[in-house]
Amino acid sequence: VELYAQRNSSKIEQQRKYVDKLKKDIKETDNRIKELSAEKGNAYKQYEELNSKINLRSAMIDEIRREIELIEQDTLALSESIASLEVAFNRSRAQYAEMVKQAYRMGRRNSFSTYLFSSTSLDELTRRMVYVERFAERYKEVAYTARQQRAELTAVRENLEARLVELDSVKLALEGEKQMLKSEERRAQSALNELSELEKRELNEKKRQEQEYKRANAQLEKILAENTV
């Protein structure tokens, strides 16, 4: 789980760096739109910049969605880890409790010393000494394991809680970006309506040329892929 979380953390960090770059590009585009708005006769350029901003915002929303998917994968892995750790910890705790009871019962029989020296032969004494030593070692091992599991369980639970808080924050940011996108789309539509017929024709021609370029480029890539040696 730890290695998986590290890989995902690296991916999330990359996503955030790209989102930060997109935010910077959006800000720069917004500044150009403000400059164009302050001058007359720039309706066409302003509309194009608005569309660029919309494309950047849409790309950022896609990246934020991917970030959410990665965080959700983390929370699922952490939840599964918690479930596994709880089973192991409960097993160790139950084993430790049973050993405490056993030690208490033997203590009530006038301690381990009485248990040892009540042996009827040297062989029996040797066996009992080995048993007591192994019992003491096992008692320490179980106690140590239970403490370690409890500490790890606490750490993973805290990590999960932090990831869930982070997930809520990123989802909130996503909703904010989606609202801004809707506002920008309305603004772009309003700017489109203000274009002259000539500007609209020029815009449609530019879109047609871009679509033809994309189709030609896709066809070229297909031909190259089919003829790769």
Side-chain angles (χ1 to χ4, degrees):
V1 173
E2 185 177 350
L3 181 61
Y4 175 84
Q6 288 176 352
R7 287 199 299 267
N8 257 17
S9 294
S10 177
K11 290 179 183 178
I12 290 171
E13 186 63 29
Q14 292 175 2
Q15 293 289 125
R16 288 178 179 170
K17 285 181 180 178
Y18 188 47
V19 167
D20 287 341
K21 180 183 180 303
L22 288 170
K23 285 181 178 178
K24 182 180 178 182
D25 292 343
I26 288 172
K27 187 175 181 180
E28 291 174 354
T29 305
D30 203 34
N31 290 335
R32 289 196 297 270
I33 292 171
K34 288 177 181 177
E35 291 174 2
L36 290 169
S37 299
E39 302 173 5
K40 291 184 178 180
N42 289 323
Y44 180 77
K45 290 183 179 179
Q46 187 176 345
Y47 174 76
E48 285 194 320
E49 290 293 347
L50 279 168
N51 268 322
S52 295
K53 188 178 178 182
I54 287 171
N55 291 335
L56 288 169
R57 182 85 63 190
S58 297
M60 185 166 67
I61 286 173
D62 289 341
E63 293 302 319
I64 293 174
R65 285 196 177 109
R66 276 191 277 273
E67 182 180 344
I68 287 173
E69 289 176 1
L70 290 171
I71 296 175
E72 286 177 337
Q73 288 172 11
D74 269 3
T75 59
L76 178 60
L78 288 168
S79 296
E80 291 175 349
S81 178
I82 287 172
S84 177
L85 283 169
E86 284 177 341
V87 170
F89 173 64
N90 289 333
R91 184 166 52 243
S92 295
R93 187 169 57 178
Q95 190 175 6
Y96 177 74
E98 183 58 35
M99 294 185 80
V100 168
K101 290 179 182 179
Q102 189 174 352
Y104 177 73
R105 285 195 299 268
M106 294 189 71
R108 290 190 65 185
R109 296 172 186 169
N110 298 320
S111 79
F112 282 100
S113 297
T114 303
Y115 170 71
L116 290 174
F117 293 110
S118 63
S119 304
T120 58
S121 68
L122 182 60
D123 287 342
E124 186 178 359
L125 175 62
T126 302
R127 286 196 301 272
R128 289 189 178 190
M129 287 178 66
V130 171
Y131 170 78
V132 170
E133 289 174 358
R134 288 179 178 175
F135 181 87
E137 289 175 0
R138 183 57 182 160
Y139 184 87
K140 290 178 182 178
E141 288 176 2
V142 172
Y144 176 79
T145 299
R147 286 195 299 271
Q148 290 294 103
Q149 289 170 336
R150 182 174 58 191
E152 186 177 359
L153 185 57
T154 299
V156 175
R157 281 172 173 164
E158 290 174 353
N159 192 2
L160 176 59
E161 184 63 29
R163 300 302 275 164
L164 289 173
V165 170
E166 183 181 5
L167 181 60
D168 288 342
S169 176
V170 176
K171 284 183 175 180
L172 187 62
L174 175 62
E175 289 305 311
E177 295 298 334
K178 287 163 69 175
Q179 291 301 318
M180 282 190 278
L181 178 62
K182 289 180 181 179
S183 175
E184 289 162 356
E185 287 173 340
R186 288 194 295 268
R187 187 178 175 188
Q189 184 59 48
S190 177
L192 177 62
N193 294 336
E194 293 177 4
L195 294 179
S196 65
E197 290 302 319
L198 177 60
E199 289 172 327
K200 288 180 180 178
R201 285 197 295 272
E202 289 176 350
L203 178 63
N204 289 332
E205 177 60 22
K206 184 176 181 180
K207 286 182 178 179
R208 186 188 66 78
Q209 290 176 358
E210 288 177 350
Q211 289 173 352
E212 287 183 356
Y213 172 78
K214 288 180 180 178
R215 281 196 296 268
N217 191 53
Q219 188 173 4
L220 177 60
E221 288 181 354
K222 182 180 179 181
I223 292 172
L224 291 173
E226 292 173 349
N227 292 277
T228 300
V229 179

